[in-house]
Every structure is written in C-alpha cells, then in structure tokens.
Amino acid sequence: MAIKKVVEHPAKVLSTPCAEVKEINEEIITLLDDLYDTMVEYDGVGIAAPQINVGLRVAIVELGEERDILEMINPTVIETDGAEVDIEGCLSFPGLYGEVERPDYVKIEACDREGRVYELEAGGFDARAILHEIDHLDGVLFDSKIKRILSEEELEAMYAEEEE
C-alpha cells in the first residue's frame, strides 16, 4: 500500500477511456489499497485509477455517513433516474468547484476484490460520487459538466451557512 501522486488536468490519462480489468490478481488488490491510501491522504470521497496514472477500470468511493468503502472493478451503470444539481470538486482539478447536474439515483454492476459480481443501488450524494468516478473510467471529466463555477468566497460562504 502506498500514497500515490494525484494526476492533475490536463494529463492525457484523465481523458482516455480505461481498459477493462481482465484478471483480479495481486496487482489489482494493491491498486485498490493504493487508491484508498491516496484518497485518504488527499481528503477525497472517491478516486479512480487514472487519477494515479493507471488506465484500468478500477475506482473506490466512500459511501454514507459510515464512510463504508465501495470498491468497483469494471463498473457499469445499469440504470439512472432523477436529476439534481449540486457542487462538485475533483482531486485532479485542485481549487475548481462547480455546480454539476447528475442523476439522483444509480444502479451499477461491478466486481469486488474477490472477483464477485454485485449490484448496488445508491441515491443522492452517494449516486453523485459513484457516477463521478465511473465518468473518470470513461475519460469524462467533471469540468465538462459544470453549469456554473463557484469562487472560493462563494464556497466558503456556503460552508459557513451550513455550519450555522
């Protein structure tokens, strides 16, 4: 396990669709562990393999208030529903925050580190985070979906308001 350097935009790996994982082996297990360590170090809620310069369909997301770790190998979106605009940031775009519209519900299929296929349904912020990371695996970056960029002042004012 290791903390990796987060690749920043405009690195080509970020806009290149990732290859499917053919076999879940020690290399993939180590990749999942490295993603976790890197996400924690950079204070993220999710991270995808291309963000540490690995072009494979592997990502992780912290879910819910319990911050359970969702590991996704070769995830595919089965269904989405609804729409919600909320603020997003991205470890590969330090200092950039914007309003992004995403589905409010997602159902995915993916593999875990044991190679078991699972389905998962998520809503709200969890759905947003999952879809953000799957976009990374498809070479789609959140800056292409921003409806309005927020200034640091706007962001700080919003957080201050939430704390009151």
Side-chain angles (χ1 to χ4, degrees), residues 74-129:
N74 297 331
T76 56
V77 175
I78 298 170
E79 181 183 346
T80 61
D81 194 26
E84 182 178 57
V85 175
D86 206 347
I87 298 167
E88 286 188 25
C90 180
L91 296 176
S92 294
F93 289 83
L96 178 63
Y97 299 92
E99 293 178 345
V100 175
E101 183 176 320
R102 290 199 188 268
D104 190 43
Y105 163 86
V106 66
K107 181 177 184 179
I108 64 162
E109 181 179 278
C111 287
D112 65 16
R113 66 173 52 214
E114 279 82 38
R116 294 181 297 237
V117 176
Y118 67 88
E119 286 187 359
L120 177 95
E121 296 178 76
F125 184 81
D126 290 342
R128 175 173 299 279

Side-chain angles (χ1 to χ4, degrees), residues 60-73:
I60 64 171
V61 174
E62 284 186 338
L63 295 180
E65 304 226 352
E66 301 81 28
R67 299 180 75 145
D68 294 325
I69 301 301
L70 173 66
E71 297 179 335
M72 301 181 288
I73 301 170

